[in-house]
């Protein structure tokens, strides 16, 4: 095959979406050559696996569970026997007590007491009889399904800690996306019967034994093996367009050994983007129309920080993670990495704990020193009653900008305006969580990239219409995955 027969595809971002788009292109068409541009030192985006002194840790907790068969096929094709099956165990810490999650009826009643449990049921009955006639906000959506009292206990404080804005400003479509199919009746029935058909409350999941980054590292290797490129520490400074056709991107690439930087123009026939929409529009040359840039300014993001603590003793709790409600501590969620995979541990005699904080990068906490953050997290771990602060012997900090697209009162109108303009670009598609400004899980981020790859080959999928309920049930009529049946994880 001559170079003139090859269609070049520049892929911006080496997270789950960008890598999947490149992988799918190679799977379906050897005539397409993807070049992935990743600004960081590790592939995987927010789903990467970081390490510190032999301890590996997951940024945010990434379960591998999906109802989309083709996504599952890709997972097994790439990671195969490296998957392990992990039982889910998680709890909610609220008012000094630990509640099993998913709900277990006797645990919940024992913690709440019969009087409060009765008040919750009466509140639920009231909202069933007199629900909000509109469901524009997160608060209205949850109260209509759980009642005001349960909402105030188990939804309001944690949600506002995560997003940093009142629940009255968060849109109902975020709740519908993240808590879909769940109601008080279903939660109670699941607790009594043991049944569970709610995707967000699965009892076990698959997980690469060395963390989620293992998946994306292996996928990057396969892309290179198949003739593509994955260029690390290469970030896109400018997206160059001629009217509604993108002609190239200006790339700044850092040499990992010397730290020297070089800048060059990468031309390509097609482009797939997974960088944040706002960043994308700001680096377009020439800039989009003023109304598009005005809409872009209305898109907001929530940043994320994980403070990993190494303890001088084995695991202080058995859960994969614990949700921390209330305002007496700043931490929002706590992970125990051995509960995900023992192979992520440097040794058996210590614990590795991830203290997760949701904040904005303009807050003073973002600029705190690593030592002060470790000291703060250690004190909060002790305050919750999980481990003494003086048992913390080491730690590491990861700051993740733009981890979560915010679903506030302005975002949907702004996004509609932006997406209609971006759809007019002839050879440019945007995918993934930040590329679509949608709080996708990694399976839906992958699906959007698979759609984009197929569009390059002549399909007409709407990448903006991924992560709606019907996406889980779509039947794909495409080239089979080499006749391979999905493996069962050991």
């Amino acid at each position: 095959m001559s170079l003139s027969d090859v269609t070049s595809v520049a892929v911006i971002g080496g997270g789950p979406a960008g890598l999947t788009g490149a992988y799918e292109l190679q799977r379906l068409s050897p005539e397409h050559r993807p070049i992935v541009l990743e600004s960081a030192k590790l592939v995987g985006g927010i789903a990467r696996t970081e390490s510190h002194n032999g301890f590996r840790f997951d940024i945010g907790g990434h379960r591998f569970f999906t109802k989309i068969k083709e996504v599952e096929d890709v997972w097994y094709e790439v990671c195969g026997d490296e998957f392990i099956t992990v039982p889910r165990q998680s709890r909610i810490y609220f008012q000094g007590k630990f509640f099993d999650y998913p709900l277990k009826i006797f645990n919940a009643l024992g913690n709440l007491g019969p009087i409060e449990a009765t008040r919750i049921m009466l509140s639920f009955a009231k909202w069933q009889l007199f629900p909000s006639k509109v469901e524009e906000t997160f608060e209205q959506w949850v109260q209509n399904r759980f009642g005001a009292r349960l909402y105030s206990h188990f939804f309001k404080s944690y949600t506002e800690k995560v997003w940093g804005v009142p629940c009255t400003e968060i849109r109902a479509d975020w709740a519908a996306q993240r808590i879909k199919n769940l109601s008080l009746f279903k939660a109670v029935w699941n607790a009594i019967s043991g049944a569970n058909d709610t995707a967000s409350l699965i009892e076990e999941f698959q997980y690469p034994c060395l963390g989620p980054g293992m998946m994306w590292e292996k996928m990057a290797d396969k892309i290179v093996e198949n003739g593509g490129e994955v260029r690390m520490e290469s970030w896109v400074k400018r997206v160059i367009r001629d009217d509604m056709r993108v002609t190239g991107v200006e790339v700044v690439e850092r040499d990992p050994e010397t730290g020297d930087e070089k800048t060059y123009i990468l031309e390509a026939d097609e482009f797939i983007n997974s960088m944040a929409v706002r960043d994308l529009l700001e680096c377009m040359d020439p800039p989009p129309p003023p109304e598009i840039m005005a809409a872009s300014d209305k898109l907001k993001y929530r940043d994320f920080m994980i403070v990993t603590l190494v303890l001088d003793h084995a695991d202080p709790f058995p859960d994969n993670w614990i949700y921390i409600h209330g305002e007496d501590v700043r931490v929002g969620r706590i992970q125990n990495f051995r509960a995900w995979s023992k192979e992520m541990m440097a040794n058996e005699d210590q614990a590795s704990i991830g203290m997760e904080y949701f904040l904005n990068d303009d807050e003073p906490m973002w600029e705190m020193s690593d030592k002060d953050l470790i000291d703060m997290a250690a004190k909060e771990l002790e305050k919750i009653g999980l481990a003494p602060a003086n048992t913390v012997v080491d730690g590491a900090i990861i700051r993740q900008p733009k981890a979560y697209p915010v679903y506030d009162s302005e975002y949907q109108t702004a996004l509609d305006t932006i997406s209609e303009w971006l759809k007019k670009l002839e050879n440019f598609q945007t995918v993934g969580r930040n590329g679509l400004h949608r709080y996708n899980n990694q399976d839906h981020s992958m699906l959007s990239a698979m759609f984009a790859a197929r569009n390059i080959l002549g399909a007409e999928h709407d990448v903006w219409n991924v992560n709606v309920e019907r996406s889980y049930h779509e039947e794909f009529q495409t080239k089979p995955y080499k006749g391979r049946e999905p493996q069962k994880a050991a």
Side-chain angles (χ1 to χ4, degrees), residues 406-420:
V406 172
Y407 282 43
D408 62 10
S409 59
E410 297 183 304
Y411 99 96
Q412 190 59 65
T413 301
L415 195 60
D416 288 345
T417 299
I418 292 166
S419 65
E420 287 305 310

Side-chain angles (χ1 to χ4, degrees), residues 130-162:
F130 306 103
S132 294
K133 294 182 180 179
V134 294
E135 286 188 349
E136 294 179 348
T137 69
F138 178 89
E139 179 175 282
Q140 292 166 334
W141 193 96
V142 175
Q143 285 181 342
N144 278 355
R145 287 157 181 78
F146 295 91
R149 199 163 190 94
L150 198 61
Y151 157 76
S152 66
H153 283 336
F154 293 115
F155 292 92
K156 185 177 187 294
S157 62
Y158 182 76
T159 302
E160 292 183 350
K161 180 180 286 190
V162 170

Side-chain angles (χ1 to χ4, degrees), residues 154-180:
F154 293 115
F155 292 92
K156 185 177 187 294
S157 62
Y158 182 76
T159 302
E160 292 183 350
K161 180 180 286 190
V162 170
W163 294 108
V165 296
C167 288
T168 52
E169 295 183 19
I170 301 171
R171 295 299 88 189
D173 49 349
W174 180 80
Q177 180 179 321
R178 303 301 293 184
I179 326 172
K180 56 192 171 193

Side-chain angles (χ1 to χ4, degrees), residues 37 53 62 73 85 120 155 175 181-182 222 225 245 257 263 278 301 354 367 391-392 404 473 487:
L37 304 167
N53 291 338
H62 288 84
D73 284 350
T85 299
I120 286 172
F155 292 92
N181 297 332
L182 186 61
K222 287 181 178 292
E225 289 170 8
R245 183 173 183 83
E257 295 183 359
T263 302
R278 197 174 69 194
Y301 301 86
E367 300 297 334
T391 64
V392 174
Y404 307 109
H473 306 291
Q487 305 173 38

Side-chain angles (χ1 to χ4, degrees), residues 467-486:
N467 201 359
V468 292
E469 185 63 20
R470 68 176 183 83
S471 298
Y472 272 131
H473 306 291
E474 286 201 54
E475 296 293 333
F476 295 102
Q477 303 297 324
T478 59
K479 184 188 293 185
Y481 277 75
K482 303 176 184 177
R484 187 197 64 77
E485 291 296 324

Side-chain angles (χ1 to χ4, degrees), residues 7 75 257 360 385 409 427 437 483 489:
T7 300
W75 285 345
E257 295 183 359
N360 295 328
S409 59
N427 61 336
H437 200 82

Side-chain angles (χ1 to χ4, degrees), residues 25 37 61 90 123 142 161 164 178 186 203 215 255 276 310 317 335 350 405 408 457 464 490:
L25 271 173
L37 304 167
S90 59
S123 173
V142 175
K161 180 180 286 190
R178 303 301 293 184
K186 179 172 282 190
E203 295 292 347
M215 168 69 69
D255 187 305
V310 177
F317 57 91
Q335 291 196 67
Q350 293 179 303
D408 62 10
L457 302 179
W464 293 87

